């Protein structure tokens, strides 16, 4: 079959690889009908995530048709159309029972690698390094789905693939980010990053009752998309990167009630601390560029909430923890607990409350995947989200 394989920093290729096989009784094999490139894949593309190996199949946002099931799979059968969440969970451990699915204790066979860095391991992820399990991803014609009774959700309605595909990650991720803000009537929510995650955070904040959402980025087409969803937009380059003063002014001096960092470890910026982050990262003196996180901590109102869906990887430098403490901020973060959101968000799509396909700018064949990684990373060609057809 064809698959997009990682071969090193900025080197992904479409390769011919062996078809996946059932390895465990609870596996299913999917014929992938649609898949996407995620902002998280860009961290792999940029060589920011350790324990990738040449030949690893990428992709954690995918859907398709079940073509084979292991003997213990009860809920799925051949021919079912399913969307698969990017986190892999066993459904049985302490964490799954607590509905903290992305912290599953059983799905990562390489847990020891993560334990060395983080103390404990989160769940395994599709196509996201050996530290996260080494599972082949879904930017491919077929994929093996472990614990097939736990993750995938069947979609029987007439909705198109592109309307439900983002249930695999970015819609639930934006939604959880907004839910984590504990939004109350009249609240103002600031969202850094108008990429796919930011787009769904903006839309979800409104769905959850925010009176006002302020979306921050510098890429015009991305800001326009956020504006179309009702957000006030701020181009951080227009305000000379003085986003803190700007947000204070926009909120009568009090600061946003909650702040969502939908940017993560690869934030940009022209301020001195941001430039220093970039230099330190280049010299391998730092893992992350936490510019947005610092700004959000600084400007969030007293007693407010910081919700962090953006991915961070290592030891973060110069975090104003004193400010966070002094203002009594709440922090919520992490990989999305996907299985809590699949059905409720599918219901919202079926109900017409949201059409996730509006963020798609590029619909191309998997053969164009490698060039699309670059286009999406560099925000060229008005690229807001890429979906790939593995068969055409
Ligand atoms: P993306 O790269 O398409 O979007 C990031 C956006 O942030 C870009 O539009 C960029 O212009 C903007 N940006 C960069 N620096 C900024 C700054 N200083 N201020 C404001 N905006 C800035 O990525 P995405 O797909 O939207 O993902 C966003 C983040 O969410 C990534 O870190 C990704 O890994 C993470 N993510 C997390 C989860 C989870 O489960 N927590 C799931 C999916 C993605
Ligand atoms: Zn993703």
């Amino acid at each position: 079959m064809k698959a997009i394989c990682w071969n090193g920093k900025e080197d992904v290729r479409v390769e011919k690889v062996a078809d996946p096989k059932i390895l465990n009784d609870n596996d299913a094999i999917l014929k992938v009908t649609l898949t996407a490139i995620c902002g998280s894949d860009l961290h792999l593309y940029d060589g920011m995530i350790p324990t990738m190996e040449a030949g690893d199949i990428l992709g954690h946002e995918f859907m398709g048709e079940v073509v084979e099931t292991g003997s213990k799979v009860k809920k799925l059968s051949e021919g079912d159309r399913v969307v698969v969440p990017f986190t892999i969970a066993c459904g049985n451990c302490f964490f799954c029972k607590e509905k903290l699915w992305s912290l599953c204790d059983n799905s990562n066979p390489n847990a020891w690698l993560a334990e060395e860095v983080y103390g404990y391991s989160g769940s395994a992820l599709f196509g996201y390094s050996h530290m996260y399990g080494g599972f082949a991803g879904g930017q491919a014609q077929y994929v093996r789905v472990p614990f097939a009774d736990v993750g995938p959700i069947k979609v029987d309605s007439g909705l198109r693939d592109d309307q439900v595909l983002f249930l695999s990650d970015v819609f639930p991720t934006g939604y959880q980010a907004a839910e984590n803000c504990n939004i109350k009537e009249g609240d103002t929510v600031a969202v850094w990053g108008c990429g796919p995650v930011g787009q769904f955070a903006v839309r979800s904040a409104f769905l959850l009752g925010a009176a006002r959402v302020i979306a921050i980025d510098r890429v015009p087409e991305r800001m326009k998309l956020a504006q179309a969803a009702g957000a006030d937009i701020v181009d951080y380059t227009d305000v000379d990167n003085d986003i803190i003063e700007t947000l204070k002014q926009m909120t009568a001096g009090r600061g946003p009630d909650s702040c969502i960092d939908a940017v993560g470890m690869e934030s940009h910026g022209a301020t001195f601390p941001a430039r220093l982050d970039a230099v330190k990262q280049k010299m391998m003196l730092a893992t992350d560029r936490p510019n947005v996180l610092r700004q959000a901590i600084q400007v969030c109102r007293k007693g407010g909430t910081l919700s962090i869906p953006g991915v961070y990887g290592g030891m973060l430098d110069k975090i104003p923890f004193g400010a966070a403490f002094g203002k009594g901020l709440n922090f919520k973060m992490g990989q999305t607990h996907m299985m809590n959101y699949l059905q409720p968000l599918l219901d919202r799509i079926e109900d017409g409350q949201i059409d996730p396909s509006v963020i798609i700018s590029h619909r191309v064949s998997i053969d164009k995947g490698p060039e699309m990684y670059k286009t999406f990373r560099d925000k060229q060609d008005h690229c807001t989200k890429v979906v790939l057809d593995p068969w055409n």
Side-chain angles (χ1 to χ4, degrees), residues 171-186:
F171 184 15
T173 294
Y175 190 89
Q176 178 179 285
E179 194 179 70
N180 278 343
C181 289
N182 230 334
I183 295 168
K184 299 197 179 58
E185 222 186 296

Side-chain angles (χ1 to χ4, degrees), residues 37-43 60-61 86-87 128 169-170 173 176 191-199 216-219 222 236 241 261-269 291-292 295 308-312 334-336 376 379 384-385:
I37 304 176
C38 177
S40 296
D41 293 325
L42 299 178
H43 306 318
H60 59 266
E61 300 185 357
F86 75 101
T87 53
Y128 215 76
D169 181 353
V170 282
T173 294
Q176 178 179 285
V191 180
W192 278 254
C194 294
V197 171
Q199 295 297 334
I216 304 142
D217 205 304
R218 64 167 173 177
V219 183
R222 293 177 176 224
Y236 65 84
N241 292 284
D261 173 355
V263 179
M265 65 199 291
E266 294 193 73
S267 74
H268 293 268
N291 188 37
V292 164
Q295 294 174 341
I308 311 166
V311 167
Y312 288 95
Q335 305 283 3
T336 309
F376 183 49
K379 281 105 191 147
T384 50
K385 184 77 177 175

